[in-house]
Amino acid sequence: MQQANLGDGVATARLLSRSDWGARLPKSVEHFQGPAPYVIIHHSYMPAVCYSTPECMKSMRDMQDFHQLERGWNDIGYSFGIGGDGMIYTGRGFNVIGAHAPKYNDKSVGIVLIGDWRTELPPKQMLDAAKNLIAFGVFKGYIDPAYKLLGHRQVRDTECPGGRLFAEISSWPHFTHLNATEGVSSTAAPVVPHVHAQAAAPQTPHQSPPAAPKV
């Protein structure tokens, strides 16, 4: 288990490894050169929000089962998951080609907030953990300091990450409105749990930096 904290030095989230949540091995791993220029936010819709760490670990395993065994993907589609317990769960991880956003899988970090966030706002600990993870990724060089923050609906015809969560991230730093040549229109589509298509192709100086992960 690892610790990550924001620039103000206050620890707000723990980063759990794949072995912590009981992930099976990926079928294969394909890397891309970082830093990633995009961060893409998702919701799982199903599984529903989890509030205890054992429940969230099971949600991660359920998503991996669906993606690997039913969809035939190499691994869980997302780079990271965020639980209602405020924990960060490592999925494919940084600089690994994902299966969460067509045309962006080989140049983005895909973060799923576990739950259905169409009408409700995720709890503060989830939102803080997502921000924490992004700050940590920037500090470690995995995410470009000038990254563009997107909701899944901006690059695919879907409701994801849910209207309420999308409204929230629209107020975050680096949120970006794509033009017609970069993304797709935000048209609501039927909600299908975990169905995110595979890619066609494979701080400031005075802030305390995010702490290096500790096992």
Side-chain angles (χ1 to χ4, degrees):
M1 190 176 294
Q2 301 175 320
Q3 191 82 19
N5 48 291
L6 289 168
D8 61 6
V10 178
T12 58
R14 280 182 289 178
L15 178 61
L16 278 68
S17 70
R18 292 173 61 90
S19 60
D20 285 332
W21 58 267
R24 73 167 61 82
L25 292 174
K27 297 174 183 177
S28 69
V29 177
E30 297 177 277
H31 293 89
F32 64 88
Q33 290 190 339
Y38 296 94
V39 174
I40 300 179
I41 303 297
H42 302 257
H43 75 166
S44 64
Y45 174 64
M46 292 176 60
V49 61
C50 52
Y51 290 105
S52 73
T53 299
E55 287 177 331
C56 293
M57 289 179 172
K58 182 179 185 301
S59 294
M60 291 295 291
R61 293 193 298 269
D62 287 347
M63 287 189 288
Q64 187 187 38
D65 285 348
F66 183 84
H67 290 174
Q68 273 193 322
L69 304 181
E70 295 191 40
R71 303 297 296 177
W73 298 351
N74 291 332
D75 198 356
I76 189 171
Y78 311 108
S79 308
F80 296 91
I82 306 289
D85 56 352
M87 301 290 189
I88 301 166
Y89 295 85
T90 302
R92 297 200 184 196
F94 291 116
N95 296 133
V96 177
I97 297 176
H100 62 92
K103 299 183 181 179
Y104 290 80
N105 286 319
D106 59 353
K107 54 189 173 186
S108 67
V109 177
I111 304 172
V112 60
L113 277 64
I114 300 171
D116 176 359
W117 307 118
R118 291 174 296 170
T119 59
E120 295 183 18
L121 184 66
K124 184 177 184 297
Q125 63 267 25
M126 293 187 80
L127 301 175
D128 287 348
K131 294 175 183 177
N132 183 293
L133 174 61
I134 295 169
F136 181 76
V138 170
F139 175 71
K140 296 296 287 184
Y142 296 120
I143 298 174
D144 191 317
Y147 70 91
K148 295 181 179 180
L149 178 69
L150 305 174
H152 185 206
R153 62 172 59 186
Q154 292 176 272
V155 298
R156 182 177 173 83
D157 188 9
T158 177
E159 287 187 330
C160 182
R164 187 65 184 88
L165 177 55
F166 184 71
E168 167 66 20
I169 67 168
S170 297
S171 69
W172 290 9
H174 295 266
F175 178 79
T176 303
H177 292 282
L178 296 181
N179 60 42
T181 62
E182 292 179 282
V184 297
S185 60
S186 175
T187 305
V191 178
V192 183
H194 318 312
V195 179
H196 301 306
Q198 183 71 290
Q203 266 135 9
T204 65
H206 300 294
Q207 288 182 319
S208 300
K214 298 184 294 186
V215 175

